[in-house]
Amino acid sequence: MDSKSLSHSRWKCQYHIVFIPKYRKKQLYGRLKEDVRDIIKVLCKYKSVEIVEGAVCAAHVHLCVCIPPKLSVSQFVGYLKGKSALMIYDKHPELGSKFNKSFWARGYYVATVGNLTEDAIKKYIQEQSEESRKEDTSGAAF
């Protein structure tokens, strides 16, 4: 079992997160690409978020991360995008104006990553509802 633990819980919460630069500019290359990768690593370490896999592409960033349950996905992505934008502008002031500090687009994509497929979960739920119907005739499925 490759789960993590906090003081009173065991967990395995993995997410696939994708976000893009503002206006979908293809500007993540060369030295900036390396800096973005290093900044993301540092910020994830600060929040105790494990990077399972990640890639900085020319027009987007892919991350597969384990986020502790004490931290919501939206909190983490907001923190990551906000702090990384400030750190990017510190290292590369030529990228933005002093009035506009938005490097990333507002939205992001997130999906959970698990050991089970959707079909396996559906089958499990159906089997559980069948068992509860056998024990209690009032059990209802969705």
Side-chain angles (χ1 to χ4, degrees):
M1 179 183 220
D2 58 343
S3 61
K4 312 257 185 293
S5 66
L6 294 169
S7 60
H8 298 287
S9 60
R10 303 248 341 132
W11 59 275
K12 183 180 179 184
C13 303
Q14 288 187 351
Y15 302 94
H16 176 215
I17 299 171
V18 181
F19 51 95
I20 62 172
K22 192 131 180 135
Y23 309 120
R24 193 129 177 119
K25 290 182 181 176
K26 294 182 180 176
Q27 58 189 9
L28 299 175
Y29 54 88
R31 183 70 194 147
L32 178 60
K33 182 178 182 176
E34 293 173 18
D35 289 342
V36 168
R37 188 182 66 231
D38 294 340
I39 287 169
I40 289 173
K41 283 182 183 179
V42 167
L43 292 174
C44 287
K45 187 176 177 183
Y46 287 163
K47 290 289 185 180
S48 301
V49 172
E50 177 191 348
I51 300 175
V52 176
E53 191 67 38
V56 178
C57 303
H60 56 281
V61 174
H62 280 277
L63 292 173
C64 181
V65 292
C66 290
I67 301 174
K70 64 182 179 180
L71 185 65
S72 75
V73 177
S74 63
Q75 283 177 324
F76 171 70
V77 173
Y79 163 80
L80 186 66
K81 288 170 60 177
K83 293 294 184 188
S84 66
L86 295 174
M87 293 170 80
I88 289 167
Y89 285 131
D90 281 347
K91 287 190 173 190
H92 301 274
E94 72 279 1
L95 292 176
S97 69
K98 68 178 184 177
F99 301 111
N100 186 8
K101 294 289 185 189
S102 58
F103 183 82
W104 303 110
R106 289 180 62 191
Y108 61 93
Y109 167 82
V110 64
T112 56
V113 177
N115 295 339
L116 302 174
T117 64
E118 183 178 346
D119 293 333
I121 293 171
K122 286 180 181 178
K123 182 180 176 189
Y124 174 75
I125 292 171
Q126 290 169 355
E127 288 173 359
Q128 292 298 311
S129 66
E130 288 173 9
E131 285 181 22
S132 69
R133 278 192 219 134
K134 289 177 186 175
E135 293 172 4
D136 181 19
T137 57
S138 65
F142 284 91

